[in-house]
Every structure is written in structure tokens, then in C-alpha cells.
Amino acid sequence: MSGGKTDWSKGIFFLIFFLCIVVGAGLLKIMEEVTKPVVLSVFMSFIFFTPIKKLNEKFRVPWWLGMTIVFIVFFAFFFGIGNIILASFKSILDKAPEYEERFNTISMSIHELISKNRDSKLFELLKIDKDQTIAQYFLQSFDIIGTVKNFAVGFTGFVLNFSKTLFFVVLFSIFLLTEMQFTLKKTSKVITRKHRYRILKIIKKTTTDVTQYISIKFAMSIISGVYVTIVCAAFKMDFAVVWGFLSFVMNFIPKFGSLIAWLITTVFAIIMFYPFPIPIILSSVLIIIENLAIGNLIEPKIEGKNLDISPFVILVSLSIWGWIWGFLGLLLAVPLTVTVKIICENISFLKPIAIIIGGMTSSDERVPAQIQGEEEKQ
């Protein structure tokens, strides 16, 4: 208080800021056909910026030639993996009856083991017909095979639709990468000399941190995908590339993505290798060890605590971006949230938002002590 009056300026600012976020989310939902390619091109530019810059600075490769090299490598990788994955999903559809039969065999074995407990309350609670096998119950209740088929068809359609929009994404990325080498020079001409140093520092720090996060996440996802592919291929598991690609994609969703990918891969291993437990256990253990190592040791150490995000914020972010952009929103939710956090950290009056978004790291733990010290002074 000052002179008996309350300063409401900060409260009004954050209220307007919140309303702008709500309106912005609605606009992103309505204009998703336009905003998706733009956002994807921005993230692609951040990923490609680092190798292009290194080629330019270390090997004196011209900027345009570095862009050409990086995009050629990207297209070779994308179309090569894309063709393999599409072929694998077609094989999954063709072999679906075979895996359904294996699933029935497994459930019959389980059914025989618990047949002595037909009068248990579990059967009554789940309303399972005593003459019905577990496989029949789950197939009728959840339509597992139908779900797998629909997912395979839907994912194939997603890949085809993404391939159609890839042209616009690449086109936007080319122009954006061309502009990024002149961003600081152009910004310095626009900003007045009084605020030039501070604003340029914020832009440079934000761009560096965002590029670092996206590049690290992309690299770790590739390592995870390659590792899972090698493990599955070593145990002669069908569709090893599919499980590796699934691990690569789901690794972009921290805390939960890798766990979901591991669970799906393990279920398939059970269906394929039953009744031999050794390949099921070994493949499952090797994959979960890699997930824990990358998710809890390697990534946090490389990224640093300043990129840590609260698990609750991750859940909220996944819900919001999943509603806005569907599956693509789930993949981009955390990178977008990290980007917002980095921007807020570099703008003084937005730092409270960065603290709320961030996890309870050692730097954040000092905040309550600071607040307590200020209260004692008052």
C-alpha cells in the first residue's frame, strides 16, 4: 500500500495476460490448418539451426550450402524411415489374425489357471460370464484387435497427411533459417540504443536455450529409437523399426511417453514370445533401463535444471495442447511449454510465471526462504 491506495496494476496485467492466453488457444484451435505448419517449421528451424551454424563456423561452409546438406539428410532419413514404417503397419494389418490367435492362446492358458476360482467375487464384480475366456471378455469389452487395426490405419493416414503438409513446413523452414542468420543484425537496427543491449541479450538467450532444448530432445529421442530398434531386432521381435519409431516419438512426451511406449512394446513381446519368458523379461528390462537412464539421468544432466517443468504443468499442457492440435499437440506440448518458460525467465516481470511452470529445483527451493526473510523484515 502507498498513501492508502492499493496498486492493482500487476493483478490487472496478469488477468489480461490470462485472457490473452485463453483467446490465443481458441484462435490456435480454429486456425489449426494454418498454425500447425508454421509452428512445425519454427521447431524444425531450431533443430536445423545448430548443425547449419556449426558447418558455417567450423568448416566455413556457406549458409545456403549448409542448409542444402541438412535438408538432403533430413529428406533421406524421413522418406527412408517413412517407407519402412508404412510397410511395417501394412504387415501388422496382414498378420492381425495371427496375433489374435496368439492372444487367444495366452488367455486360454490364464483361463485354465484360474478356472478353479470361478466363484470368486472378481468375476461377479467384472460381470464376466463363467463360460467365457478372458480373451473373449477383453476382446468384446475393449475391441483390442479393432483398436489396433484402427490405430494402424489412422497412423498411416497421419503419415500421409503429414507428408502433404511437409512441403509447406519445409518451405517456411527454408525462409526462416535464411532469416535467422540476420536476426540479431535486423533487431539491433529496429531497437533504440537505450534498450538495445538488454533486448538483444534476451533474444539471444531465449533463442540459444530453446535451440539447445529442442536439439537435445531430438538427439535423445533418436538415440532412444535406435536403441529400442536394436534391442527388438536382437531378440528377433517383429516390426522392430515400428517399436523404435514409437519410442522416438513418445520420448517427446516426458515422464509418461517413454513409459507408454515401453508398455506397448512389452505387451507385444508377451504376445509374440509366450510361453518363453526369457526374451520377454530381457527385452523389457533392457528397454526400461534405457528409458530410466535417458529420462532421469542423461537428459536432466545435459539440459540443466533451468529447463525442468512441473509434472502437474506437464499434465495440464498435454491436456490443453492435445485438445487444440490432437496427437501433434501431445508431441509439441512440452517443447512449447519449455519455450514459454525460457521466454518468461528472460523477461523480469514474467519470472513469476516461469517459477510456477518450473519444477522444484534447487534454485526454486531458495524462493520460500527469500520470501520468509522479506516477511521478517516487514
Short mmCIF file of all heavy atoms in Angstrom, two decimals, residues 13-14 17 198-206 209 339-355:
data_model
loop_
_atom_site.label_atom_id
_atom_site.label_comp_id
_atom_site.label_asym_id
_atom_site.label_seq_id
_atom_site.Cartn_x
_atom_site.Cartn_y
_atom_site.Cartn_z
N PHE A 13 -2.59 -6.73 -14.99
CA PHE A 13 -1.73 -7.22 -16.07
C PHE A 13 -1.84 -8.74 -16.24
O PHE A 13 -2.01 -9.24 -17.35
CB PHE A 13 -0.27 -6.84 -15.78
CG PHE A 13 0.73 -7.54 -16.69
CD1 PHE A 13 0.92 -7.11 -17.98
CD2 PHE A 13 1.44 -8.64 -16.22
CE1 PHE A 13 1.82 -7.76 -18.82
CE2 PHE A 13 2.34 -9.29 -17.04
CZ PHE A 13 2.53 -8.85 -18.34
N PHE A 14 -1.74 -9.50 -15.11
CA PHE A 14 -1.79 -10.95 -15.20
C PHE A 14 -3.19 -11.44 -15.60
O PHE A 14 -3.32 -12.47 -16.27
CB PHE A 14 -1.37 -11.58 -13.87
CG PHE A 14 0.12 -11.55 -13.64
CD1 PHE A 14 0.69 -10.75 -12.67
CD2 PHE A 14 0.96 -12.33 -14.43
CE1 PHE A 14 2.06 -10.73 -12.46
CE2 PHE A 14 2.34 -12.31 -14.24
CZ PHE A 14 2.88 -11.51 -13.26
N PHE A 17 -3.26 -10.91 -19.24
CA PHE A 17 -2.35 -11.90 -19.82
C PHE A 17 -3.04 -13.26 -19.91
O PHE A 17 -2.94 -13.96 -20.93
CB PHE A 17 -1.09 -11.99 -18.95
CG PHE A 17 -0.01 -12.87 -19.52
CD1 PHE A 17 0.78 -12.45 -20.57
CD2 PHE A 17 0.21 -14.15 -18.99
CE1 PHE A 17 1.77 -13.27 -21.09
CE2 PHE A 17 1.20 -14.96 -19.50
CZ PHE A 17 1.98 -14.53 -20.56
N ARG A 198 19.94 -4.84 -23.61
CA ARG A 198 19.10 -5.72 -22.80
C ARG A 198 18.20 -6.60 -23.66
O ARG A 198 18.09 -7.81 -23.44
CB ARG A 198 18.26 -4.88 -21.84
CG ARG A 198 17.40 -5.72 -20.91
CD ARG A 198 16.56 -4.84 -20.00
NE ARG A 198 15.71 -5.63 -19.15
CZ ARG A 198 14.80 -5.11 -18.34
NH1 ARG A 198 14.63 -3.80 -18.28
NH2 ARG A 198 14.06 -5.90 -17.59
N ILE A 199 17.57 -6.00 -24.66
CA ILE A 199 16.63 -6.77 -25.51
C ILE A 199 17.38 -7.78 -26.36
O ILE A 199 16.95 -8.93 -26.52
CB ILE A 199 15.80 -5.81 -26.38
CG1 ILE A 199 14.88 -4.97 -25.48
CG2 ILE A 199 14.97 -6.58 -27.40
CD1 ILE A 199 14.07 -3.93 -26.22
N LEU A 200 18.51 -7.38 -26.91
CA LEU A 200 19.31 -8.31 -27.71
C LEU A 200 19.80 -9.48 -26.86
O LEU A 200 19.87 -10.63 -27.34
CB LEU A 200 20.50 -7.59 -28.34
CG LEU A 200 20.19 -6.63 -29.50
CD1 LEU A 200 21.45 -5.95 -29.98
CD2 LEU A 200 19.52 -7.39 -30.65
N LYS A 201 20.14 -9.19 -25.60
CA LYS A 201 20.57 -10.25 -24.69
C LYS A 201 19.43 -11.23 -24.43
O LYS A 201 19.64 -12.46 -24.41
CB LYS A 201 21.05 -9.62 -23.37
CG LYS A 201 21.58 -10.64 -22.37
CD LYS A 201 22.04 -9.95 -21.09
CE LYS A 201 22.55 -10.97 -20.08
NZ LYS A 201 22.96 -10.33 -18.80
N ILE A 202 18.21 -10.71 -24.23
CA ILE A 202 17.04 -11.57 -24.00
C ILE A 202 16.77 -12.44 -25.23
O ILE A 202 16.53 -13.65 -25.12
CB ILE A 202 15.81 -10.72 -23.66
CG1 ILE A 202 15.97 -10.07 -22.28
CG2 ILE A 202 14.53 -11.57 -23.69
CD1 ILE A 202 14.89 -9.07 -21.94
N ILE A 203 16.80 -11.83 -26.41
CA ILE A 203 16.53 -12.58 -27.66
C ILE A 203 17.58 -13.67 -27.87
O ILE A 203 17.26 -14.82 -28.18
CB ILE A 203 16.51 -11.62 -28.86
CG1 ILE A 203 15.31 -10.67 -28.75
CG2 ILE A 203 16.45 -12.40 -30.16
CD1 ILE A 203 15.30 -9.59 -29.81
N LYS A 204 18.85 -13.31 -27.65
CA LYS A 204 19.93 -14.28 -27.86
C LYS A 204 19.84 -15.43 -26.86
O LYS A 204 19.99 -16.60 -27.23
CB LYS A 204 21.28 -13.58 -27.74
CG LYS A 204 22.46 -14.47 -28.11
CD LYS A 204 23.76 -13.68 -28.11
CE LYS A 204 24.93 -14.57 -28.52
NZ LYS A 204 26.22 -13.82 -28.52
N LYS A 205 19.59 -15.09 -25.58
CA LYS A 205 19.49 -16.13 -24.53
C LYS A 205 18.30 -17.04 -24.79
O LYS A 205 18.41 -18.28 -24.68
CB LYS A 205 19.34 -15.45 -23.17
CG LYS A 205 19.23 -16.41 -21.99
CD LYS A 205 20.57 -17.06 -21.70
CE LYS A 205 20.59 -17.74 -20.34
NZ LYS A 205 19.54 -18.71 -20.12
N THR A 206 17.16 -16.45 -25.15
CA THR A 206 15.96 -17.25 -25.41
C THR A 206 16.17 -18.17 -26.60
O THR A 206 15.86 -19.37 -26.54
CB THR A 206 14.74 -16.33 -25.66
OG1 THR A 206 14.56 -15.47 -24.55
CG2 THR A 206 13.49 -17.15 -25.89
N ASP A 209 18.66 -21.03 -25.66
CA ASP A 209 18.09 -22.03 -24.75
C ASP A 209 17.05 -22.90 -25.46
O ASP A 209 17.01 -24.12 -25.27
CB ASP A 209 17.46 -21.36 -23.53
CG ASP A 209 18.51 -20.81 -22.57
OD1 ASP A 209 19.70 -21.13 -22.77
OD2 ASP A 209 18.14 -20.07 -21.65
N THR A 339 9.51 -23.62 -24.05
CA THR A 339 9.78 -22.37 -24.75
C THR A 339 9.18 -21.18 -24.01
O THR A 339 9.84 -20.14 -23.82
CB THR A 339 9.21 -22.43 -26.18
OG1 THR A 339 9.77 -23.55 -26.87
CG2 THR A 339 9.53 -21.16 -26.94
N VAL A 340 7.93 -21.34 -23.56
CA VAL A 340 7.27 -20.28 -22.79
C VAL A 340 8.04 -20.00 -21.50
O VAL A 340 8.25 -18.84 -21.11
CB VAL A 340 5.81 -20.66 -22.48
CG1 VAL A 340 5.18 -19.67 -21.50
CG2 VAL A 340 4.99 -20.72 -23.76
N LYS A 341 8.48 -21.06 -20.83
CA LYS A 341 9.22 -20.91 -19.57
C LYS A 341 10.54 -20.16 -19.80
O LYS A 341 10.91 -19.27 -19.01
CB LYS A 341 9.50 -22.27 -18.97
CG LYS A 341 10.27 -22.23 -17.64
CD LYS A 341 10.40 -23.62 -17.06
CE LYS A 341 11.12 -23.58 -15.71
NZ LYS A 341 12.57 -23.34 -15.87
N ILE A 342 11.24 -20.49 -20.87
CA ILE A 342 12.52 -19.84 -21.16
C ILE A 342 12.30 -18.35 -21.44
O ILE A 342 13.05 -17.49 -20.96
CB ILE A 342 13.20 -20.53 -22.35
CG1 ILE A 342 13.66 -21.93 -21.96
CG2 ILE A 342 14.39 -19.71 -22.84
CD1 ILE A 342 14.14 -22.77 -23.12
N ILE A 343 11.26 -18.05 -22.21
CA ILE A 343 10.95 -16.64 -22.51
C ILE A 343 10.62 -15.88 -21.24
O ILE A 343 11.09 -14.76 -21.01
CB ILE A 343 9.79 -16.56 -23.52
CG1 ILE A 343 10.22 -17.13 -24.88
CG2 ILE A 343 9.33 -15.11 -23.69
CD1 ILE A 343 9.10 -17.25 -25.88
N CYS A 344 9.80 -16.49 -20.37
CA CYS A 344 9.42 -15.84 -19.12
C CYS A 344 10.62 -15.63 -18.19
O CYS A 344 10.69 -14.63 -17.47
CB CYS A 344 8.34 -16.66 -18.40
SG CYS A 344 6.75 -16.69 -19.26
N GLU A 345 11.56 -16.58 -18.21
CA GLU A 345 12.76 -16.45 -17.36
C GLU A 345 13.63 -15.27 -17.77
O GLU A 345 14.31 -14.67 -16.93
CB GLU A 345 13.59 -17.73 -17.43
CG GLU A 345 13.05 -18.87 -16.60
CD GLU A 345 13.87 -20.13 -16.75
OE1 GLU A 345 14.57 -20.27 -17.77
OE2 GLU A 345 13.82 -20.98 -15.85
N ASN A 346 13.58 -14.93 -19.04
CA ASN A 346 14.43 -13.86 -19.55
C ASN A 346 13.75 -12.50 -19.58
O ASN A 346 14.34 -11.52 -20.07
CB ASN A 346 14.94 -14.22 -20.94
CG ASN A 346 15.93 -15.37 -20.92
OD1 ASN A 346 17.07 -15.20 -20.55
ND2 ASN A 346 15.48 -16.55 -21.30
N ILE A 347 12.51 -12.42 -19.12
CA ILE A 347 11.79 -11.15 -19.01
C ILE A 347 11.42 -10.96 -17.55
O ILE A 347 10.69 -11.77 -16.98
CB ILE A 347 10.53 -11.15 -19.90
CG1 ILE A 347 10.92 -11.39 -21.37
CG2 ILE A 347 9.77 -9.83 -19.77
CD1 ILE A 347 9.77 -11.51 -22.32
N SER A 348 11.92 -9.91 -16.94
CA SER A 348 11.85 -9.74 -15.48
C SER A 348 10.43 -9.84 -14.93
O SER A 348 10.19 -10.55 -13.96
CB SER A 348 12.48 -8.41 -15.08
OG SER A 348 11.82 -7.33 -15.74
N PHE A 349 9.45 -9.12 -15.53
CA PHE A 349 8.12 -9.11 -14.95
C PHE A 349 7.32 -10.38 -15.22
O PHE A 349 6.21 -10.55 -14.73
CB PHE A 349 7.33 -7.88 -15.44
CG PHE A 349 7.16 -7.81 -16.93
CD1 PHE A 349 6.11 -8.43 -17.58
CD2 PHE A 349 8.07 -7.09 -17.69
CE1 PHE A 349 5.97 -8.36 -18.95
CE2 PHE A 349 7.93 -7.01 -19.07
CZ PHE A 349 6.88 -7.65 -19.71
N LEU A 350 7.89 -11.31 -16.02
CA LEU A 350 7.23 -12.60 -16.27
C LEU A 350 7.89 -13.75 -15.50
O LEU A 350 7.48 -14.90 -15.64
CB LEU A 350 7.24 -12.92 -17.77
CG LEU A 350 6.40 -12.01 -18.68
CD1 LEU A 350 6.54 -12.45 -20.12
CD2 LEU A 350 4.94 -12.02 -18.25
N LYS A 351 8.91 -13.46 -14.69
CA LYS A 351 9.62 -14.51 -13.95
C LYS A 351 8.71 -15.30 -13.00
O LYS A 351 8.93 -16.50 -12.81
CB LYS A 351 10.80 -13.91 -13.20
CG LYS A 351 11.99 -13.65 -14.10
CD LYS A 351 13.21 -13.21 -13.31
CE LYS A 351 14.40 -13.02 -14.25
NZ LYS A 351 15.62 -12.57 -13.51
N PRO A 352 7.69 -14.67 -12.36
CA PRO A 352 6.78 -15.48 -11.52
C PRO A 352 6.11 -16.61 -12.29
O PRO A 352 5.90 -17.70 -11.75
CB PRO A 352 5.75 -14.45 -11.03
CG PRO A 352 6.48 -13.15 -11.05
CD PRO A 352 7.40 -13.23 -12.22
N ILE A 353 5.78 -16.38 -13.55
CA ILE A 353 5.17 -17.44 -14.37
C ILE A 353 6.17 -18.56 -14.61
O ILE A 353 5.82 -19.74 -14.56
CB ILE A 353 4.68 -16.85 -15.71
CG1 ILE A 353 3.60 -15.81 -15.46
CG2 ILE A 353 4.16 -17.95 -16.63
CD1 ILE A 353 3.12 -15.10 -16.71
N ALA A 354 7.45 -18.21 -14.86
CA ALA A 354 8.49 -19.22 -15.06
C ALA A 354 8.66 -20.08 -13.82
O ALA A 354 8.88 -21.30 -13.91
CB ALA A 354 9.80 -18.55 -15.44
N ILE A 355 8.58 -19.45 -12.62
CA ILE A 355 8.72 -20.19 -11.38
C ILE A 355 7.56 -21.17 -11.19
O ILE A 355 7.74 -22.31 -10.77
CB ILE A 355 8.80 -19.23 -10.17
CG1 ILE A 355 10.09 -18.40 -10.26
CG2 ILE A 355 8.75 -19.98 -8.85
CD1 ILE A 355 10.19 -17.31 -9.23
#
